[in-house]
Each structure stands twice: as C-alpha cells, then as structure tokens.
Amino acid sequence: SQQGEEDPQALSIQEGENATMNCSYKTSINNLQWYRQNSGRGLVHLILIRSNEREKHSGRLRVTLDTSKKSSSLLITASRAADTASYFCATDEGSNDYKLSFGAGTTVTVRA
Amino acid sequence: DAGVIQSPRHEVTEMGQEVTLRCKLISGHNSLFWYRQTMMRGLELLIYFNNNVPIDDSGMPEDRFSAKMPNASFSTLKIQPSEPRDSAVYFCASSLQGWSYNEQFFGPGTRLTVL
C-alpha cells in the first residue's frame, strides 16, 4: 500500500502563479523526498527533507514537513511552462531505510 | 556520466513470450531498484539489490518475474512467460548505499506492452 498520498490529484495554474501540493503519510519516517516526472520520462529527485527539519528551500521550491500531522507540502513559486509534470512524494518505511513508498502523484499543468 | 541507461525503451510482445529488460547503473552506485508503474497501482518497488545481492524481492509479483545482477553495473529483469497484465512502464533506479536518505536516480523506463 502507498505510504504517501498527494493532494490534489491534478492542478492547473497560469504561468507565474504559485503551485502548492500536499502529501500525507501514515507511519513514522526518517525523511521525505519529492520527485518530478515529465511525461514519458523517469523520475527526477527534487529535494529531501529529514524528519527533524521543518522547512527546506531549493531554488523556486519550498518544502515543509509537519511530523505531528504526518504531512508535507511542496510549493513551486513563479511557475513556468517547464514545470508541467507529475510530482510525487516518497517516504521511507522507518525500519527499511532503503525502501521508498511513492504516492500517486499530483499532475501539474502550467498554462502559458 | 550518462545516467541510468535502460533498454529497450519500448517493447511490444505477445502473451507467453519471454521479455528481458536491461539496466546499466551509474558508475560508482552500489544499489539498484526495479520499479513498475501503472495507472492503477502507481509506482511499485519490485526488487532491491545492494552490492549485487538481492535484499528485498517482496514486490516481485510472482515466479514469472526474475531479476539478476551479474556484475556491479548491470541488471536484468526477466518475465517468462509474459501476460497482458504485465503491461506497464518498468524503471530501474540506482543510488549510493541504498539508504533512503540518498536520492535515487531513475532511468528513462521501458514501456512494455503484452498483447
């Protein structure tokens, strides 16, 4: 079963707007990662946030983690057409550190 | 480095045929993951190798699926015999050490269609 679940399933925004998507998970984690998948391509790692971190930035990306609510959010600021992709959160399973569980993803469409 | 390389990129075969998917890891990486992606089930981990040794194959659907890592840089995933429900995109990913705090580098995937 999937550990992480993204919300919303799909998001359509205008270029220049911000995009926010959320991820909820069920069990304790060591860290949470976000990946991007462009259509017909493999997943690309975006950012990792550890369980003892609350917020992390990378360029136009901002990730938050609330372990008390078992949730994370990914914010893409000033979106571009090239940000059109599916975004997945991936969580480990605690004891099995190597094993990542991916959510179903949020499909983001950025309109020019 | 060219990244993770997978071949073929597309495979169309008939039910009952043997299918072999190939993956070349990034040089220096010692962990390999095979995933399957479908609309219905999302991304599922099939098997995980660390230092050429299969550590977790609990995601392998059934005995028709087998995976090998004959050397540190190469892996195969074989389906024999293939069935229409095996149609999916198969990804391999590599990483250093294999612990989740290391990012996984995904290949471009093999789109398998079993008729």
Side-chain angles (χ1 to χ4, degrees):
Chain A
S1 63
Q2 291 171 343
Q3 159 81 306
E5 296 291 340
E6 290 92 344
D7 171 63
Q9 289 186 340
L11 185 59
S12 180
I13 55 173
Q14 201 72 30
E15 203 165 26
E17 293 180 340
N18 295 342
T20 300
M21 60 211 84
N22 303 296
C23 170
S24 59
Y25 57 92
K26 300 186 180 78
T27 61
S28 295
I29 59 172
N30 296 308
N31 62 71
L32 184 145
Q33 303 182 38
W34 285 92
Y35 286 78
R36 183 188 74 228
Q37 184 179 30
N38 291 91
S39 180
R41 309 287 285 271
L43 278 74
V44 174
H45 181 267
L46 295 176
I47 196 165
L48 179 150
I49 186 165
R50 300 186 194 282
S51 59
N52 62 352
E53 296 176 312
R54 292 297 166 258
E55 188 171 313
K56 204 160 182 180
H57 296 254
S58 176
R60 294 183 295 112
L61 304 180
R62 174 177 166 250
V63 169
T64 63
L65 179 64
D66 187 336
T67 53
S68 67
K69 294 181 180 177
K70 292 188 171 58
S71 68
S72 173
S73 68
L74 171 66
L75 168 67
I76 305 172
T77 60
S79 63
R80 306 167 181 168
D83 295 327
T84 295
S86 292
Y87 293 82
F88 296 86
C89 67
T91 53
D92 61 40
E93 295 187 356
S95 57
N96 289 329
D97 281 357
Y98 60 85
K99 201 166 188 173
L100 289 181
S101 179
F102 288 83
T106 293
T107 299
V108 174
T109 303
V110 181
R111 306 185 306 273
Chain B
D1 200 315
V4 175
I5 300 172
Q6 290 189 249
S7 65
R9 293 294 312 277
H10 302 271
E11 177 82 25
V12 180
T13 190
E14 292 189 346
M15 183 173 64
Q17 296 297 306
E18 176 180 300
V19 175
T20 299
L21 311 181
R22 297 174 176 80
C23 174
K24 184 175 185 300
L25 285 70
I26 291 174
S27 177
H29 283 190
N30 62 347
S31 292
L32 176 79
F33 306 81
W34 279 102
Y35 291 93
R36 178 172 67 177
Q37 186 178 40
T38 61
M39 289 293 291
M40 290 293 292
R41 299 176 67 88
L43 199 64
E44 303 173 279
L45 176 65
L46 299 177
I47 188 168
Y48 158 59
F49 289 87
N50 186 246
N51 293 321
N52 304 2
V53 176
I55 302 299
D56 183 351
D57 65 355
S58 60
M60 296 286 263
E62 42 198 277
D63 292 345
R64 297 184 298 107
F65 285 68
S66 62
K68 292 182 180 179
M69 205 164 167
N71 59 56
S73 60
F74 183 74
S75 177
T76 59
L77 177 68
K78 186 178 291 187
I79 308 172
Q80 164 68 16
S82 58
E83 296 182 3
R85 60 193 167 121
D86 302 331
S87 297
V89 181
Y90 291 81
F91 291 100
C92 68
S94 71
S95 73
L96 280 169
Q97 297 180 10
W99 303 116
S100 67
Y101 54 78
N102 287 314
E103 65 178 282
Q104 294 184 16
F105 293 79
F106 281 74
T110 295
R111 182 173 294 277
L112 173 65
T113 303
V114 183
L115 302 174

